Amino acid sequence: MAFNAAAEFVPSLTAAQFSTVYNLFSLVIASMLFTAIYLLVSQRRVAPRYRNALVVSAIVCGIAAYHYIRIFNNFGEAYPAGATVDDAHVASNIAFNEAYRYVDWLLTVPLLLIETVAVMALTRDTQRALLYKLVPASALMIVLGYPGELSGDLGTRALWGFLSTIPFVYLLWVLFVELSRSLDRQPAEVVHTIKMLRLSLVGLWGVYPIAYMFPMIGGDFFGGADGFVLRQAGYSIADILAKAAFGLAIYKIARVKSRIEDPAYDDDHASAPVTDPRRVAA
């Protein structure tokens, strides 16, 4: 059963629609790039056991920045400017490639789960058991969703979307049930933050299947240029929050736990250096 090809191929964008998507992509690139840099230079402010979590967070943001640069360039080529600034951006013979997103998610989603587990500083056996459940499920979720994203057939898109939902639901179950058991072993100062982090991550991931369904909903809005813009905006904002903001939250948890375990990392309340009175007199 076929549906309107415009659900996947948008023949043109208005100048305002193009600028909205263009500026959002630019915002994502800046957010990811400078968050990655900040996390890398801040490693020494956390205890050694939490530094891997920060490195992984920086890698996630770096991978996302790279792919958004590719998406940014591809978008400009797919919808080149018209004769004037107010003219519509008509689609060229270069297709807008959603595959960049799936390659990005295939790399970054498992890493997001790895950094979440790493910052909790669980026993090695517990970490291994959790990652054996989380990482394969996340990869399977993305791989199964990709054929449906490319399909111009409603039934095919629905089938692969349903199959992708199975590991997605399993992933949510593990995050809520399995990771909840480890909260009892976390310092009281970070338990609330970890709970909110987990909830926000799951909530943000919910944006992706909703956007995936837009072409299935169809209609003039969801199946046309407005739906395309809304989908790209949803993906972009969710990526900023789920990767850059999530990485900064991981850093906050690592900082708090480092201060609890070793006062030497409590540099926010460090004493001011004592000035030698003899130098002042001189």
Side-chain angles (χ1 to χ4, degrees):
M1 177 179 178
F3 64 91
N4 192 339
E8 285 301 304
F9 172 72
V10 177
S12 67
L13 298 172
T14 67
Q17 290 170 336
F18 178 88
S19 295
T20 298
V21 177
Y22 184 92
N23 291 332
L24 278 170
F25 288 165
S26 179
L27 176 64
V28 178
I29 293 170
S31 301
M32 298 297 183
L33 182 59
F34 289 101
T35 299
I37 294 172
Y38 177 78
L39 292 172
L40 288 175
V41 301
S42 299
Q43 288 183 72
R44 295 297 176 183
R45 301 190 69 201
V46 304
R49 68 188 304 195
Y50 302 116
R51 290 174 188 168
N52 280 342
L54 264 63
V55 171
V56 173
S57 296
I59 291 173
V60 166
C61 291
I63 291 172
Y66 166 76
H67 283 107
Y68 265 93
I69 290 172
R70 299 295 301 271
I71 293 171
F72 182 85
N73 292 334
N74 174 234
F75 178 66
E77 294 171 348
Y79 294 95
T84 70
V85 294
D86 294 325
D87 283 349
H89 291 251
V90 179
S92 69
N93 61 346
I94 299 176
F96 180 67
N97 188 3
E98 289 282 15
Y100 288 131
R101 292 194 182 279
Y102 279 80
V103 174
D104 175 73
W105 295 335
L106 186 61
L107 295 172
T108 58
V109 172
L111 289 174
L112 282 169
L113 297 169
I114 290 172
E115 70 182 80
T116 302
V117 173
V119 80
M120 298 182 76
L122 305 172
T123 64
R124 191 175 298 274
D125 289 342
T126 303
Q127 286 188 12
R128 187 180 299 112
L130 282 173
L131 292 177
Y132 280 159
K133 296 176 181 178
L134 294 170
V135 173
S138 65
L140 187 61
M141 171 183 69
I142 296 162
V143 170
L144 290 175
Y146 180 63
E149 184 71 53
L150 295 184
S151 176
D153 180 78
L154 179 59
T156 301
R157 190 179 187 91
L159 173 63
W160 287 105
F162 171 76
L163 293 175
S164 178
T165 302
I166 297 173
F168 177 70
V169 172
Y170 174 74
L171 199 61
L172 299 187
W173 179 82
V174 173
L175 283 172
F176 272 95
V177 177
E178 298 291 332
L179 289 182
S180 293
R181 298 173 184 172
S182 67
L183 291 175
D184 294 337
R185 299 190 292 273
Q186 300 298 320
E189 293 87 345
V190 299
V191 168
H192 177 71
T193 303
I194 291 175
K195 286 181 178 179
M196 295 305 297
L197 199 67
R198 183 188 57 185
L199 288 171
S200 65
L201 186 60
V202 172
L204 290 168
W205 283 0
V207 172
Y208 301 105
I210 293 173
Y212 179 91
M213 292 174 61
F214 279 7
M216 298 172 62
I217 298 172
D220 292 337
F221 182 86
F222 290 104
D226 289 327
F228 173 82
V229 173
L230 184 60
R231 186 165 70 251
Q232 299 308 319
Y235 284 153
S236 299
I237 294 171
D239 278 344
I240 290 175
L241 296 176
K243 294 170 185 174
F246 187 80
L248 294 175
I250 290 290
Y251 170 68
K252 176 187 174 182
I253 293 171
R255 286 280 294 144
V256 172
K257 294 179 77 170
S258 297
R259 290 199 298 264
I260 293 171
E261 296 170 10
D262 187 348
Y265 289 97
D266 191 14
D267 56 0
D268 289 342
H269 299 89
S271 301
V274 177
T275 304
D276 188 339
R278 291 173 297 180
R279 294 185 178 180
V280 174

